[in-house]
Amino acid sequence: MPRILLSGFEPFDRDTVNPSWEVARALDGWQVDGATVQAVRLPCVFGEALERLDAALAVGERPVLVIGLGLAGGRTEVTPERAALNVDDARIPDNAGRQPVDRPVVAQGPAAYFSTLPVKAIVQALRREGLPASVSNSAGTFVCNHVFYGLMHRLATQAGLQGVRGGFVHVPALPEQAARMPGMPSLGLEMQVQALRVLLQTALTVQTDLREQGGSLR
Amino acid sequence: MPRILLSGFEPFDRDTVNPSWEVARALDGWQVDGATVQAVRLPCVFGEALERLDAALAVGERPVLVIGLGLAGGRTEVTPERAALNVDDARIPDNAGRQPVDRPVVAQGPAAYFSTLPVKAIVQALRREGLPASVSNSAGTFVCNHVFYGLMHRLATQAGLQGVRGGFVHVPALPEQAARMPGMPSLGLEMQVQALRVLLQTALTVQTDLREQGGSLR
Amino acid sequence: MPRILLSGFEPFDRDTVNPSWEVARALDGWQVDGATVQAVRLPCVFGEALERLDAALAVGERPVLVIGLGLAGGRTEVTPERAALNVDDARIPDNAGRQPVDRPVVAQGPAAYFSTLPVKAIVQALRREGLPASVSNSAGTFVCNHVFYGLMHRLATQAGLQGVRGGFVHVPALPEQAARMPGMPSLGLEMQVQALRVLLQTALTVQTDLREQGGSLR
Amino acid sequence: MPRILLSGFEPFDRDTVNPSWEVARALDGWQVDGATVQAVRLPCVFGEALERLDAALAVGERPVLVIGLGLAGGRTEVTPERAALNVDDARIPDNAGRQPVDRPVVAQGPAAYFSTLPVKAIVQALRREGLPASVSNSAGTFVCNHVFYGLMHRLATQAGLQGVRGGFVHVPALPEQAARMPGMPSLGLEMQVQALRVLLQTALTVQTDLREQGGSLR
């Protein structure tokens, strides 16, 4: 059966849980539109995260969809990312203590890749289901963007992966994290999992994205 | 069986749902520590809201606890309020089109009443359960504060109500509301209901509040 | 010549500057409407701050106006405070290492005092001059609120001070502070000083405050 | 004498002032490091803004530096932008009523261009002068990003412009704008002008940017 690769990250920055992995794990084995979700847990480490992703891409048949998930502390909504930048610039050390500054993810790679997910249709579908969502114009410059860029580069350049749709989605903190960080917005795990179900279904069935505004003034 | 009066508001400001009433309704009839929750739906109207509360206070036996719930759009946490001010100052019209400015809730009433809930113990209990919570130092100056002040004035001055514990708790928007208002933080209904369960239990069992800091620099 | 007492605080929380004192100092000796500003620098210490204020109130003739200034890091506007609460609840230690929790400012004092400044007229006058301003409904529970409450209590209860107008105004951080704290909003010192000039003039000349909404929904 | 092209925008979104143009205008004719600032006022209109920029680039000698300025309402700091995306996605109509959705700025252009300004050195220099500043990872998808991308494309592809340094800088609202929009952060015009002086000098004198972290987790 065709597979959907869905990655999440291990906890980072001294936390003990990462909703991106909790969501991916909860959907492992879930079937949608004739495909099955395969969850992959990535280390929050520059370089190693992409090695783990490469291993998952290499074993088994060509996926129909590859989506990376990551935590965006401070966001209130599920946010499909629009574009990945070819830069690593770490504000804090990663889980291996590395803190690259202004280095390309891929030497000689293009400055950016756009998501090939139908991000507008996804946001519309999520909102219709009562799930908070917006398009994001920046995936940051930490390991999330690193994986997003690395993924899109592989999908664009590796022979066996061309034409595979892919992208990255940031999710809010969990309420249990917010309970330890006063003022932090959150979204419950069940809502996040339900959002990813809607998102995967939309990504599999909508071929041409909506022409609906979702931009930002700045 | 002793009763706990738990009020919530009808929707306002052109919205179609108000989590404060959804939470109260969900707990109507719930039994805790030998008492039963009685949910009361208040109109979002200055004056009329207190008349409806008075009616609920008058019918039946003296409650063991009276808590008002209200929506605080923009907040991320369940926030027990510390104090009610003796002022009505409406930024928008209420549901009857009234917009009082700088009028006392109770003429000749004291400037403020403090909640008699153990707000620090409540916040600690909620956080321990993984539910985001903080003490709030301002209930605003709209119908929420109006009901909070009016309630505390009744508990302080009406013969049959003296000694009854009471207070007010603001809750965040629901995810379905946030789905219509990009950027708005939210907390799922089940989490809010669970938070109120923990809160009611704490309010019934903790007699002396914790001496734990919960203040604000400004 | 009649005097206006204008207090500001020394730096706190490991900072090296406090705009509240910089503003007060800049206006020391300034004359407006036949009165002269007398700046007073308060220690950021519970108790001692009020002792210093008492000393300034005691020496010299009865002031025509007494206004406390304090820093509210995170605010974008000059914010006249509406009410002071009778509670000390310190989130961080003060400059003497004290961290009172849920203690009254004045034992047996009323729960709150309202500012006797024309806060609505002040906000309107500031905005007309292109200076960002809003009414605030909470002065927090740290040394700022402590001084605000202590001041209003003295103006309400001390024989020689009755009828003297008073209040408290929070100001934003300075740009130089924001330069050390990424994301912190700020307002330049000259703007802050100009705002206080407009504020003092308005407080001296407007006897009855505007009936203009300035409330908050929560 | 060599020229620095510094563009600002006309007001938009029903406002009457735009700090980006006020800053550019204030620096028109200012000399720094042997070069003179030439201010250019751009219409806030997709397409026309770049036509106006083209006209300014075409007349006169090759500039040594080209910087676009734009207003980012809601930001607290002067923010040099890191990258421009090849997308127009307007959340509101521009000043000609156009609202493009998900169209490339330049058909067949690369997905993004990086600023060639030393953005880390600029942020460090600004902070050292007590001016709030941060690197931004998204210039949005409105006319600002449109001009930024169009500019970098011209500098990268037009024979006479290759090697010319360029970039884009967002500035906060002015206090007078914040006075009309409660809660909006601002930075005074003099501070903004001073920030641009420091920024231009840094851009002219620092050849290799600092290797200093300035990234974002998301």
PDB file of all heavy atoms in Angstrom, chain A residues 166-189:
ATOM      1  N   GLY A 166       5.503  17.468  -1.093  1.00  0.00           N
ATOM      2  CA  GLY A 166       6.058  17.559   0.249  1.00  0.00           C
ATOM      3  C   GLY A 166       5.947  18.948   0.825  1.00  0.00           C
ATOM      4  O   GLY A 166       5.698  19.924   0.106  1.00  0.00           O
ATOM      5  N   GLY A 167       6.141  19.023   2.121  1.00  0.00           N
ATOM      6  CA  GLY A 167       6.086  20.316   2.786  1.00  0.00           C
ATOM      7  C   GLY A 167       6.327  20.161   4.268  1.00  0.00           C
ATOM      8  O   GLY A 167       6.722  19.091   4.746  1.00  0.00           O
ATOM      9  N   PHE A 168       6.114  21.248   4.972  1.00  0.00           N
ATOM     10  CA  PHE A 168       6.380  21.274   6.401  1.00  0.00           C
ATOM     11  C   PHE A 168       5.253  22.023   7.096  1.00  0.00           C
ATOM     12  O   PHE A 168       4.722  23.000   6.566  1.00  0.00           O
ATOM     13  CB  PHE A 168       7.722  21.954   6.681  1.00  0.00           C
ATOM     14  CG  PHE A 168       8.269  21.688   8.054  1.00  0.00           C
ATOM     15  CD1 PHE A 168       9.114  20.605   8.284  1.00  0.00           C
ATOM     16  CD2 PHE A 168       7.926  22.491   9.130  1.00  0.00           C
ATOM     17  CE1 PHE A 168       9.611  20.330   9.549  1.00  0.00           C
ATOM     18  CE2 PHE A 168       8.413  22.227  10.404  1.00  0.00           C
ATOM     19  CZ  PHE A 168       9.263  21.143  10.610  1.00  0.00           C
ATOM     20  N   VAL A 169       4.927  21.570   8.296  1.00  0.00           N
ATOM     21  CA  VAL A 169       3.827  22.158   9.061  1.00  0.00           C
ATOM     22  C   VAL A 169       4.282  22.380  10.498  1.00  0.00           C
ATOM     23  O   VAL A 169       4.747  21.435  11.150  1.00  0.00           O
ATOM     24  CB  VAL A 169       2.592  21.216   9.045  1.00  0.00           C
ATOM     25  CG1 VAL A 169       1.445  21.825   9.847  1.00  0.00           C
ATOM     26  CG2 VAL A 169       2.155  20.911   7.614  1.00  0.00           C
ATOM     27  N   HIS A 170       4.150  23.591  10.977  1.00  0.00           N
ATOM     28  CA  HIS A 170       4.434  23.871  12.382  1.00  0.00           C
ATOM     29  C   HIS A 170       3.151  23.742  13.201  1.00  0.00           C
ATOM     30  O   HIS A 170       2.079  24.161  12.757  1.00  0.00           O
ATOM     31  CB  HIS A 170       5.014  25.281  12.554  1.00  0.00           C
ATOM     32  CG  HIS A 170       6.505  25.329  12.516  1.00  0.00           C
ATOM     33  ND1 HIS A 170       7.219  25.968  11.533  1.00  0.00           N
ATOM     34  CD2 HIS A 170       7.447  24.791  13.347  1.00  0.00           C
ATOM     35  CE1 HIS A 170       8.521  25.837  11.763  1.00  0.00           C
ATOM     36  NE2 HIS A 170       8.688  25.128  12.859  1.00  0.00           N
ATOM     37  N   VAL A 171       3.292  23.167  14.389  1.00  0.00           N
ATOM     38  CA  VAL A 171       2.144  23.034  15.290  1.00  0.00           C
ATOM     39  C   VAL A 171       2.434  23.792  16.586  1.00  0.00           C
ATOM     40  O   VAL A 171       3.592  24.005  16.954  1.00  0.00           O
ATOM     41  CB  VAL A 171       1.847  21.544  15.589  1.00  0.00           C
ATOM     42  CG1 VAL A 171       1.395  20.828  14.321  1.00  0.00           C
ATOM     43  CG2 VAL A 171       3.050  20.846  16.208  1.00  0.00           C
ATOM     44  N   PRO A 172       1.367  24.233  17.299  1.00  0.00           N
ATOM     45  CA  PRO A 172       1.557  24.941  18.573  1.00  0.00           C
ATOM     46  C   PRO A 172       2.034  23.997  19.674  1.00  0.00           C
ATOM     47  O   PRO A 172       2.041  22.772  19.510  1.00  0.00           O
ATOM     48  CB  PRO A 172       0.145  25.458  18.906  1.00  0.00           C
ATOM     49  CG  PRO A 172      -0.662  25.345  17.647  1.00  0.00           C
ATOM     50  CD  PRO A 172      -0.058  24.181  16.895  1.00  0.00           C
ATOM     51  N   ALA A 173       2.387  24.576  20.795  1.00  0.00           N
ATOM     52  CA  ALA A 173       2.712  23.797  21.993  1.00  0.00           C
ATOM     53  C   ALA A 173       1.464  23.060  22.483  1.00  0.00           C
ATOM     54  O   ALA A 173       0.335  23.417  22.138  1.00  0.00           O
ATOM     55  CB  ALA A 173       3.233  24.717  23.096  1.00  0.00           C
ATOM     56  N   LEU A 174       1.678  22.028  23.286  1.00  0.00           N
ATOM     57  CA  LEU A 174       0.566  21.325  23.933  1.00  0.00           C
ATOM     58  C   LEU A 174       0.159  22.072  25.214  1.00  0.00           C
ATOM     59  O   LEU A 174       0.996  22.740  25.833  1.00  0.00           O
ATOM     60  CB  LEU A 174       1.004  19.903  24.314  1.00  0.00           C
ATOM     61  CG  LEU A 174       1.335  18.988  23.137  1.00  0.00           C
ATOM     62  CD1 LEU A 174       1.934  17.684  23.651  1.00  0.00           C
ATOM     63  CD2 LEU A 174       0.087  18.727  22.294  1.00  0.00           C
ATOM     64  N   PRO A 175      -1.090  21.922  25.632  1.00  0.00           N
ATOM     65  CA  PRO A 175      -1.507  22.538  26.907  1.00  0.00           C
ATOM     66  C   PRO A 175      -0.598  22.151  28.073  1.00  0.00           C
ATOM     67  O   PRO A 175      -0.287  22.998  28.918  1.00  0.00           O
ATOM     68  CB  PRO A 175      -2.938  22.006  27.094  1.00  0.00           C
ATOM     69  CG  PRO A 175      -3.443  21.816  25.688  1.00  0.00           C
ATOM     70  CD  PRO A 175      -2.242  21.325  24.914  1.00  0.00           C
ATOM     71  N   GLU A 176      -0.128  20.903  28.107  1.00  0.00           N
ATOM     72  CA  GLU A 176       0.746  20.523  29.227  1.00  0.00           C
ATOM     73  C   GLU A 176       2.063  21.289  29.213  1.00  0.00           C
ATOM     74  O   GLU A 176       2.679  21.495  30.260  1.00  0.00           O
ATOM     75  CB  GLU A 176       1.017  19.007  29.216  1.00  0.00           C
ATOM     76  CG  GLU A 176       1.859  18.559  28.040  1.00  0.00           C
ATOM     77  CD  GLU A 176       2.132  17.039  28.044  1.00  0.00           C
ATOM     78  OE1 GLU A 176       1.287  16.324  27.504  1.00  0.00           O
ATOM     79  OE2 GLU A 176       3.180  16.620  28.586  1.00  0.00           O
ATOM     80  N   GLN A 177       2.503  21.691  28.015  1.00  0.00           N
ATOM     81  CA  GLN A 177       3.703  22.546  27.953  1.00  0.00           C
ATOM     82  C   GLN A 177       3.363  23.955  28.417  1.00  0.00           C
ATOM     83  O   GLN A 177       4.133  24.604  29.131  1.00  0.00           O
ATOM     84  CB  GLN A 177       4.259  22.575  26.524  1.00  0.00           C
ATOM     85  CG  GLN A 177       4.742  21.213  26.026  1.00  0.00           C
ATOM     86  CD  GLN A 177       5.220  21.261  24.589  1.00  0.00           C
ATOM     87  OE1 GLN A 177       4.424  21.431  23.677  1.00  0.00           O
ATOM     88  NE2 GLN A 177       6.509  21.096  24.373  1.00  0.00           N
ATOM     89  N   ALA A 178       2.206  24.447  27.975  1.00  0.00           N
ATOM     90  CA  ALA A 178       1.777  25.791  28.366  1.00  0.00           C
ATOM     91  C   ALA A 178       1.582  25.883  29.877  1.00  0.00           C
ATOM     92  O   ALA A 178       1.757  26.956  30.470  1.00  0.00           O
ATOM     93  CB  ALA A 178       0.495  26.171  27.639  1.00  0.00           C
ATOM     94  N   ALA A 179       1.213  24.750  30.500  1.00  0.00           N
ATOM     95  CA  ALA A 179       1.025  24.748  31.959  1.00  0.00           C
ATOM     96  C   ALA A 179       2.344  24.996  32.677  1.00  0.00           C
ATOM     97  O   ALA A 179       2.357  25.400  33.839  1.00  0.00           O
ATOM     98  CB  ALA A 179       0.422  23.422  32.413  1.00  0.00           C
ATOM     99  N   ARG A 180       3.464  24.741  31.983  1.00  0.00           N
ATOM    100  CA  ARG A 180       4.786  25.007  32.578  1.00  0.00           C
ATOM    101  C   ARG A 180       5.367  26.337  32.114  1.00  0.00           C
ATOM    102  O   ARG A 180       6.408  26.764  32.603  1.00  0.00           O
ATOM    103  CB  ARG A 180       5.766  23.883  32.182  1.00  0.00           C
ATOM    104  CG  ARG A 180       5.415  22.532  32.752  1.00  0.00           C
ATOM    105  CD  ARG A 180       6.539  21.521  32.496  1.00  0.00           C
ATOM    106  NE  ARG A 180       6.793  21.269  31.090  1.00  0.00           N
ATOM    107  CZ  ARG A 180       6.269  20.281  30.376  1.00  0.00           C
ATOM    108  NH1 ARG A 180       5.438  19.431  30.947  1.00  0.00           N
ATOM    109  NH2 ARG A 180       6.549  20.130  29.112  1.00  0.00           N
ATOM    110  N   MET A 181       4.732  26.950  31.100  1.00  0.00           N
ATOM    111  CA  MET A 181       5.268  28.204  30.555  1.00  0.00           C
ATOM    112  C   MET A 181       4.155  29.247  30.477  1.00  0.00           C
ATOM    113  O   MET A 181       3.545  29.437  29.423  1.00  0.00           O
ATOM    114  CB  MET A 181       5.846  27.944  29.167  1.00  0.00           C
ATOM    115  CG  MET A 181       7.160  27.175  29.202  1.00  0.00           C
ATOM    116  SD  MET A 181       7.813  26.808  27.539  1.00  0.00           S
ATOM    117  CE  MET A 181       6.894  25.293  27.159  1.00  0.00           C
ATOM    118  N   PRO A 182       3.875  29.937  31.605  1.00  0.00           N
ATOM    119  CA  PRO A 182       2.740  30.874  31.633  1.00  0.00           C
ATOM    120  C   PRO A 182       2.739  31.843  30.439  1.00  0.00           C
ATOM    121  O   PRO A 182       3.779  32.420  30.105  1.00  0.00           O
ATOM    122  CB  PRO A 182       2.942  31.613  32.962  1.00  0.00           C
ATOM    123  CG  PRO A 182       3.626  30.618  33.835  1.00  0.00           C
ATOM    124  CD  PRO A 182       4.545  29.848  32.902  1.00  0.00           C
ATOM    125  N   GLY A 183       1.586  31.966  29.808  1.00  0.00           N
ATOM    126  CA  GLY A 183       1.424  32.874  28.689  1.00  0.00           C
ATOM    127  C   GLY A 183       1.571  32.202  27.327  1.00  0.00           C
ATOM    128  O   GLY A 183       1.191  32.781  26.303  1.00  0.00           O
ATOM    129  N   MET A 184       2.143  31.003  27.295  1.00  0.00           N
ATOM    130  CA  MET A 184       2.350  30.284  26.034  1.00  0.00           C
ATOM    131  C   MET A 184       0.995  29.802  25.469  1.00  0.00           C
ATOM    132  O   MET A 184       0.249  29.141  26.183  1.00  0.00           O
ATOM    133  CB  MET A 184       3.252  29.080  26.324  1.00  0.00           C
ATOM    134  CG  MET A 184       3.430  28.095  25.184  1.00  0.00           C
ATOM    135  SD  MET A 184       4.536  28.685  23.893  1.00  0.00           S
ATOM    136  CE  MET A 184       6.126  28.661  24.760  1.00  0.00           C
ATOM    137  N   PRO A 185       0.687  30.111  24.213  1.00  0.00           N
ATOM    138  CA  PRO A 185      -0.542  29.544  23.638  1.00  0.00           C
ATOM    139  C   PRO A 185      -0.363  28.052  23.351  1.00  0.00           C
ATOM    140  O   PRO A 185       0.757  27.559  23.231  1.00  0.00           O
ATOM    141  CB  PRO A 185      -0.731  30.327  22.330  1.00  0.00           C
ATOM    142  CG  PRO A 185       0.532  31.051  22.081  1.00  0.00           C
ATOM    143  CD  PRO A 185       1.379  31.023  23.319  1.00  0.00           C
ATOM    144  N   SER A 186      -1.485  27.345  23.226  1.00  0.00           N
ATOM    145  CA  SER A 186      -1.403  25.898  23.013  1.00  0.00           C
ATOM    146  C   SER A 186      -2.599  25.397  22.217  1.00  0.00           C
ATOM    147  O   SER A 186      -3.557  26.134  21.990  1.00  0.00           O
ATOM    148  CB  SER A 186      -1.349  25.175  24.364  1.00  0.00           C
ATOM    149  OG  SER A 186      -2.563  25.368  25.067  1.00  0.00           O
ATOM    150  N   LEU A 187      -2.504  24.148  21.792  1.00  0.00           N
ATOM    151  CA  LEU A 187      -3.618  23.474  21.124  1.00  0.00           C
ATOM    152  C   LEU A 187      -3.533  22.005  21.541  1.00  0.00           C
ATOM    153  O   LEU A 187      -2.462  21.399  21.486  1.00  0.00           O
ATOM    154  CB  LEU A 187      -3.495  23.612  19.602  1.00  0.00           C
ATOM    155  CG  LEU A 187      -4.727  23.216  18.775  1.00  0.00           C
ATOM    156  CD1 LEU A 187      -5.908  24.147  19.034  1.00  0.00           C
ATOM    157  CD2 LEU A 187      -4.381  23.230  17.284  1.00  0.00           C
ATOM    158  N   GLY A 188      -4.656  21.463  21.972  1.00  0.00           N
ATOM    159  CA  GLY A 188      -4.685  20.096  22.509  1.00  0.00           C
ATOM    160  C   GLY A 188      -4.242  19.061  21.476  1.00  0.00           C
ATOM    161  O   GLY A 188      -4.394  19.250  20.270  1.00  0.00           O
ATOM    162  N   LEU A 189      -3.691  17.945  21.968  1.00  0.00           N
ATOM    163  CA  LEU A 189      -3.162  16.919  21.082  1.00  0.00           C
ATOM    164  C   LEU A 189      -4.244  16.354  20.158  1.00  0.00           C
ATOM    165  O   LEU A 189      -4.001  16.158  18.956  1.00  0.00           O
ATOM    166  CB  LEU A 189      -2.530  15.784  21.906  1.00  0.00           C
ATOM    167  CG  LEU A 189      -1.899  14.661  21.092  1.00  0.00           C
ATOM    168  CD1 LEU A 189      -0.819  15.177  20.156  1.00  0.00           C
ATOM    169  CD2 LEU A 189      -1.311  13.588  22.023  1.00  0.00           C
TER     170      LEU A 189
END
